[in-house]
């Protein structure tokens, strides 16, 4: 959000900046951007993420919070048994109330549930957005070239692409479950989500390209971007990680800002 504010600056109401957030997850980043004054379009295809996010978006102010137990089914690497039963309450804020308070000024928060590459390669989206923000997203691409070409298509000339996240290519094979780490139940559930047990893995001949961070930056330049900022000291981040666990998986973030050349 700091990068975005620096890149596009403050704009009058009639020229409000249009931001695309692919891989929007539970829509927290799109919501924050919307509340900061931008026109936001969130893109997410996971039905699990959408069910949860739409449920929270429609929570009334009087509705209760719900307690989640993220690690209750994980029996490994706990210092104290009580750590297994740590809770978090959702939603931690009332999106519906906040959106209602800002709706009168004419901003919009759109949710697009179609495939990112197919949808935003359409002619109607050419040069459509002032900025694209990706958070823990680009490594979900079987072929990153498709993602870069799509962003180049839908981003206006002079627009910025801001990225923060790891490079965990082919997440199932390279993640903890793929290496048979952690609990067996976690591994089985991951296989079910990825449809690996039933052999429904998609096209087995589809290319899976795994680039290093410096190669990603070179590809951006090849596709007409100028990398204006890269920061490998932005810090570490876990992912659905128990901060009290004896096993910690931490990512060093790939953080860069790229501007589309004319």
């Amino acid at each position: 959000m700091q990068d975005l504010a620096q890149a596009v600056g403050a704009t009058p109401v009639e020229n409000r900046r249009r931001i695309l957030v692919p891989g929007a997850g539970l829509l927290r980043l799109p919501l924050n951007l919307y509340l900061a004054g931008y026109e936001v379009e969130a893109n997410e295809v996971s039905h699990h993420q959408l069910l949860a996010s739409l449920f929270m978006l429609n929570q009334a102010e009087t509705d209760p919070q719900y307690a989640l137990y993220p690690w209750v089914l994980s029996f490994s690497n706990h210092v104290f048994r009580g750590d297994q039963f740590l809770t978090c309450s959702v939603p931690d804020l009332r999106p519906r109330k906040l959106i209602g308070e800002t709706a009168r000024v004419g901003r919009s928060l759109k949710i697009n549930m179609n495939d990112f590459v197919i949808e935003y390669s359409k002619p109607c989206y050419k040069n459509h957005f002032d900025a694209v923000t990706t958070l823990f997203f680009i490594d979900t691409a079987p072929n990153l070239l498709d993602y870069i070409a799509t962003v180049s298509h839908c981003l206006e000339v002079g627009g910025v692409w801001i990225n923060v996240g790891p490079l965990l290519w082919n997440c199932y094979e390279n993640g903890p479950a793929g290496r048979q780490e952690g609990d067996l139940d976690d591994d089985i559930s991951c296989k079910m989500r990825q449809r690996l047990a039933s052999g429904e893995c998609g096209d087995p001949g589809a290319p899976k390209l795994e680039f290093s961070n410096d190669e990603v930056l070179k590809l951006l330049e090849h596709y007409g971007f100028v990398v204006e900022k890269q920061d490998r000291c932005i810090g570490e981040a876990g992912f659905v990680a128990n901060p009290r666990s004896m096993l910690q998986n931490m990512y060093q973030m790939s953080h860069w800002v790229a501007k589309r050349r004319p």
Side-chain angles (χ1 to χ4, degrees), residues 4-65:
L4 189 60
Q6 183 176 359
V8 303
T11 57
V13 173
E14 63 273 11
N15 190 31
R16 193 170 286 116
R17 299 297 188 176
R18 299 183 303 275
I19 314 299
L20 173 64
V21 185
L26 296 180
L27 307 185
R28 187 56 180 265
L29 176 59
L31 177 64
N32 286 351
L33 293 174
Y34 168 79
L35 296 175
Y38 301 104
E39 290 278 342
V40 183
E41 183 163 332
N43 173 238
E44 180 58 60
V45 296
S46 167
H47 289 172
H48 297 96
Q49 303 253 30
L50 288 166
L51 282 170
S53 58
L54 293 176
F55 173 77
M56 288 189 286
L57 281 176
N58 286 284
Q59 281 275 288
E61 188 173 0
T62 56
D63 290 338
Q65 287 183 313

Side-chain angles (χ1 to χ4, degrees), residues 65-68 87-93:
Q65 287 183 313
Y66 296 88
L68 301 183
T87 65
C88 62
S89 297
V90 296
D92 64 328
L93 50 75

Side-chain angles (χ1 to χ4, degrees), residues 1-244:
M1 292 184 69
Q2 293 173 350
D3 290 335
L4 189 60
Q6 183 176 359
V8 303
T11 57
V13 173
E14 63 273 11
N15 190 31
R16 193 170 286 116
R17 299 297 188 176
R18 299 183 303 275
I19 314 299
L20 173 64
V21 185
L26 296 180
L27 307 185
R28 187 56 180 265
L29 176 59
L31 177 64
N32 286 351
L33 293 174
Y34 168 79
L35 296 175
Y38 301 104
E39 290 278 342
V40 183
E41 183 163 332
N43 173 238
E44 180 58 60
V45 296
S46 167
H47 289 172
H48 297 96
Q49 303 253 30
L50 288 166
L51 282 170
S53 58
L54 293 176
F55 173 77
M56 288 189 286
L57 281 176
N58 286 284
Q59 281 275 288
E61 188 173 0
T62 56
D63 290 338
Q65 287 183 313
Y66 296 88
L68 301 183
Y69 295 78
W71 303 288
V72 71
L73 298 180
S74 176
F75 292 85
S76 301
N77 293 305
H78 295 297
V79 177
F80 302 104
R81 183 55 60 197
D83 296 344
Q84 185 176 353
F85 301 96
L86 292 175
T87 65
C88 62
S89 297
V90 296
D92 64 328
L93 50 75
R94 300 297 182 181
R96 184 176 175 182
K97 178 177 182 291
L98 294 171
I99 291 173
E101 291 173 349
T102 55
R104 62 181 181 274
V105 299
R107 292 201 302 273
S108 65
L109 172 59
K110 300 179 182 178
I111 304 173
N112 189 310
M113 304 179 187
N114 296 315
D115 178 87
F116 169 65
V117 172
I118 295 174
E119 181 72 6
Y120 294 101
S121 296
K122 293 178 178 177
C124 62
Y125 279 106
K126 185 172 179 60
N127 301 330
H128 185 75
F129 296 101
D130 299 286
V132 175
T133 59
T134 49
L135 180 66
F136 275 73
F137 175 69
I138 65 172
D139 57 349
T140 65
N143 186 343
L144 181 62
L145 304 183
D146 293 335
Y147 277 18
I148 297 176
T150 302
V151 173
S152 179
H153 172 82
C154 70
L155 188 63
E156 71 171 5
V157 174
V160 294
W161 180 2
I162 301 169
N163 176 74
V164 176
L167 293 177
L168 181 63
W169 307 110
N170 303 318
C171 300
Y172 175 78
E173 294 91 338
N174 295 333
R179 296 194 299 267
Q180 298 293 312
E181 296 178 2
D183 292 320
L184 179 61
D185 288 343
D186 293 340
D187 181 50
I188 294 173
S189 64
C190 184
K191 283 184 176 180
M192 292 177 66
R193 290 195 302 273
Q194 299 288 336
R195 300 179 182 175
L196 296 178
S198 59
E200 300 176 10
C201 303
D203 180 7
K208 293 184 177 181
L209 304 178
E210 303 171 337
F211 298 104
S212 63
N213 188 62
D214 68 319
E215 290 170 335
V216 171
L217 299 176
K218 288 183 174 65
L219 285 170
L220 291 171
E221 295 176 354
H222 178 77
Y223 275 82
F225 289 91
V226 176
V227 179
E228 296 191 327
K229 176 181 180 180
Q230 53 174 314
D231 180 8
R232 287 177 293 180
C233 300
I234 192 173
E236 298 178 332
F239 188 77
V240 292
N242 184 348
R244 300 190 187 184

